[in-house]
Amino acid sequence: MKQAWLCVVFGIIGCVVTSAADFATEALNATYKFFDPASTATCFFIRREPPDGALYLVTAAHVLERTKGDRAIVVLRERRPDGSYERRDHQITVRREGKPLWVRHATEDTAVLRLSELPPVPVTTLPMSALADEAGLAAAGLHICSSVFVLTYPARFEANDAGFAVARQGIIASHPFLPVQRYRTYLVNFTTFDGDSGGPVFVAGADGHPLVLGIVLAQFRHDEQVKTEYEERMIHHPLALGTVLHAQFVRDTIEQAARQPAPDAK
């Protein structure tokens, strides 16, 4: 059995509070495609309470670590007067003089890039309260076979030319789900692809807004080596299982990033 990372290998952003009619649209509006020539994956934006005016780009650590160079692209979206959207690729700085600007969790595969400059277009974010801690998970009553939703860019795929993420549904596939510190990752049953890394896994919270349970890290597959008299090849059988990291570790990483000097500080 093999676990495979889900980024495809080969902004300093302003805060806008969405008035979405439902929890799923709120989560969708805060989710964006992240890519450079070496890595394509999913990210989403979180805001902390004032007076912190920065935004925090959340994704899997391996996504940022696989980028090449000092810049990467986040696919933003600009709303037109007629209600449609225009795709806006926006470059952000991920390294300065070769040194990473993101903060990586000490033990888990998540990283946060603190952004403090305004983007060229408004960007939707989720509040820190959307990231589930252990108390929030317990109150939500989640357990094995509970339904969850996922927003990602599977195999680099975008839902439309505006660059929106694709929504899918799965179930929690492993037990126990809690406590968080003991079971830091868990399995979700949904068809996983390269490009899913960093995507939010969420449900409807008690307040009607999204409750983010974690981020997608990797897929599981069964590798079968086939040998014949004239041929040898490897077949990868997807198991429709994704590894998800609890959102508590995203919260911890954001708080760590918030304590760091601003990326543009001299």
Side-chain angles (χ1 to χ4, degrees), residues 14-15 34 89 106 110 112 143 159 175 206 217 245:
C15 173
F34 177 95
D89 287 11
T110 187
V112 170
H143 48 72
H175 177 81
L217 295 185
L245 176 70

Side-chain angles (χ1 to χ4, degrees), residues 1-256:
M1 212 75 67
K2 182 172 290 185
Q3 178 175 253
W5 302 124
L6 294 174
C7 63
V8 177
V9 180
F10 5 146
I12 304 167
I13 296 173
C15 173
V16 173
V17 179
T18 180
S19 58
D22 61 86
F23 74 97
T25 307
E26 290 185 50
L28 174 67
N29 286 340
T31 302
Y32 297 88
K33 189 176 188 178
F34 177 95
F35 73 94
D36 84 336
S39 180
T40 298
T42 308
C43 69
F44 60 97
F45 289 104
I46 294 289
R47 69 181 183 276
R48 297 175 74 244
E49 295 298 320
D52 188 346
L55 286 203
Y56 296 87
L57 183 153
V58 175
T59 190
H62 69 266
V63 170
L64 287 163
E65 290 167 352
R66 287 180 175 179
T67 58
K68 306 296 183 184
D70 291 346
R71 310 277 286 178
I73 294 173
V74 177
V75 178
L76 305 182
R77 304 174 290 266
E78 184 173 15
R79 191 176 179 93
R80 297 180 174 127
D82 65 359
S84 64
Y85 291 85
E86 179 181 359
R87 174 189 174 122
R88 294 284 298 272
D89 287 11
H90 175 58
Q91 282 198 344
I92 59 172
T93 302
V94 296
R95 293 180 180 84
R96 182 165 289 121
E97 298 178 352
K99 296 180 179 180
L101 297 180
W102 65 83
V103 172
R104 193 192 200 283
H105 191 278
T107 60
E108 306 307 318
D109 185 11
T110 187
V112 170
L113 183 64
R114 180 184 176 188
L115 307 171
S116 55
E117 293 179 356
L118 291 177
V121 296
V123 171
T124 302
T125 66
L126 295 175
M128 279 286 285
S129 59
L131 295 172
D133 56 15
E134 185 150 353
L137 292 174
L142 297 166
H143 48 72
I144 191 167
C145 291
S146 290
S147 292
V148 299
F149 301 96
V150 184
L151 290 166
T152 65
Y153 293 88
R156 303 183 295 275
F157 187 79
E158 301 171 8
N160 48 45
D161 61 4
F164 278 98
V166 176
R168 285 171 289 164
Q169 187 174 15
I171 62 169
I172 295 174
S174 59
H175 177 81
F177 184 61
L178 298 174
V180 167
Q181 293 297 331
R182 174 63 179 84
Y183 304 103
R184 299 187 165 208
T185 63
Y186 54 95
L187 299 179
V188 169
N189 168 227
F190 74 107
T191 303
T192 52
F193 298 91
D194 292 341
D196 288 346
S197 286
V201 178
F202 65 101
V203 296
D207 60 359
H209 296 288
L211 180 68
V212 178
L213 311 180
I215 64 170
V216 181
L217 295 185
Q219 63 177 305
F220 280 93
R221 69 191 189 202
H222 170 64
D223 292 344
E224 179 183 12
Q225 188 171 14
V226 178
K227 293 184 178 181
T228 69
E229 184 175 358
Y230 300 104
E231 182 183 19
E232 292 186 13
R233 60 193 177 104
M234 183 72 71
I235 302 174
H236 305 304
H237 299 280
L239 298 181
L241 292 172
T243 301
V244 177
L245 176 70
H246 273 295
Q248 178 63 59
F249 303 104
V250 174
R251 294 179 66 97
D252 296 343
T253 311
I254 291 172
E255 293 301 335
Q256 182 183 352

